[in-house]
Amino acid sequence: MMEMQEYGDTSSRIVLIQMADDHDLEGIEREIAAIRAINDAGFLLRVFRVNRWNEDLSPWNAPAVFGKDDFGSGAENTLAEVLKSCEDRSRHYIIGGYSLAGLFALWSAYQTDVFEGAAAASPSVWFPGFTDYMRTHEIRTERVYLSLGDKEAKTRNPVMAAVANRIQEAEGLIRCQNRRCTLEWNPGNHFKEPELRMAKGFSWILRQLLQS
């Protein structure tokens, strides 16, 4: 079982869902403040603490591309846990995440129509086989926000260096399925202002949802 924490208006019909590790949790209050500074929509943020990052958020097994930890295939079980918190269908659920959690958010939008939007900030779309998966499956949400730092591809790791090409490919694949999709380029590398990048992603989805 994953630990879940709630922030914001518990009675809100708009529920933001985010997977996070301990580092992400340290910046959650800054992220919430940034979302509120960008728009005045009320929301409830549900944050699920991920214990085994590479295992719990990966859609399938893959060899390590940095460090020593291989990627597992725990995303299906993680999503099943998340969906238990989304049973009130009178609410609007938006899933989002940063880095590998952003990849998980994007992958989740292919598995279920529960989410009315997916905010993938600096997602790990370099993940082996992921854009091939996107090419052969239909995304089941209507709104997708993608972002990347303009220096993220400047790495000696050949797999991760493809991230800029992969995210542009991902945007094109989503648009080809007639979904609302935007790709925002942020200044800096992967580690710059993650809270602000997440806030911008959730805020874009919120605006799209409220305008529909």
Side-chain angles (χ1 to χ4, degrees), residues 2-166:
M2 291 183 296
E3 176 186 353
M4 182 186 74
Q5 298 181 36
E6 294 188 333
Y7 304 83
D9 181 4
T10 57
S11 65
S12 177
R13 290 297 179 187
I14 299 176
V15 181
L16 311 180
I17 294 174
Q18 182 175 345
M19 318 308 293
D21 61 8
D22 289 337
H23 178 73
D24 296 323
L25 287 168
E26 293 174 1
I28 284 295
E29 294 294 347
R30 292 190 295 274
E31 178 182 323
I32 293 170
I35 295 173
R36 289 173 172 161
I38 295 171
N39 67 78
D40 56 5
F43 62 89
L44 171 66
L45 173 61
R46 286 179 176 161
V47 179
F48 291 83
R49 184 181 180 277
V50 178
N51 296 312
R52 302 171 302 171
W53 193 255
N54 283 14
E55 169 68 27
D56 294 339
L57 298 178
S58 301
W60 49 77
N61 294 313
V65 298
F66 56 88
K68 298 180 179 179
D69 294 332
D70 290 338
F71 295 98
S73 57
E76 185 175 350
N77 290 335
T78 300
L79 179 58
E81 287 292 318
V82 170
L83 291 177
K84 292 177 183 177
S85 73
C86 304
E87 295 179 348
D88 182 356
R89 298 305 292 267
S90 69
R91 289 180 141 176
H92 305 280
Y93 298 101
I94 300 168
I95 191 167
Y98 195 85
S99 193
L100 190 59
L103 182 86
F104 172 80
L106 193 55
W107 172 85
S108 296
Y110 283 86
Q111 312 309 309
T112 177
D113 62 1
V114 166
F115 306 116
E116 298 189 44
S122 292
S124 304
V125 288
W126 47 258
F127 192 87
F130 192 74
T131 51
D132 291 333
Y133 177 88
M134 293 179 67
R135 192 175 294 109
T136 56
H137 292 76
E138 184 174 359
I139 197 163
R140 301 175 68 184
T141 188
E142 294 296 325
R143 307 161 187 87
V144 181
Y145 173 93
L146 303 172
S147 73
L148 199 71
D150 58 11
K151 295 181 180 179
E152 291 198 47
K154 296 180 180 179
T155 172
R156 294 180 180 179
N157 186 303
V159 176
M160 300 179 71
V163 67
N165 291 334
R166 294 290 83 79

